Amino acid sequence: MKTLLLSLPVVALSLAGCQTANQNAAAGAVAGGVLGAAVSDKDDRLTGAALGAAAGVAASTLIGTAPGNDQCYYRNSRGERFIADC
């Protein structure tokens, strides 16, 4: 069950073709919250989820934000990332 919970955010993020900054931050918060709750102690899942969500938002904001409005990051078949209009 824990493996399933850990793999869900990875699958969800890999299926998203174009993400704006707000979508990217929300996905980072959800993924971080799920992972934080999954790996924390049984008695402290809420704190783990909150810390994971905060780390997910911070990481997604620093790593995946497109530089302009209505622009998104895309990946081509070789795995190279580029920016184009959404």
Side-chain angles (χ1 to χ4, degrees), residues 38-60:
V39 298
S40 64
D41 291 336
K42 197 177 208 181
D43 298 331
D44 205 18
R45 294 210 190 268
L46 183 61
T47 303
L51 291 174
V57 168
S60 67

Side-chain angles (χ1 to χ4, degrees), residues 49-77:
L51 291 174
V57 168
S60 67
T61 301
L62 293 174
I63 295 170
T65 305
N69 291 339
D70 297 327
Q71 291 185 330
C72 298
Y73 282 120
Y74 292 96
R75 288 196 184 269
N76 62 15
S77 60

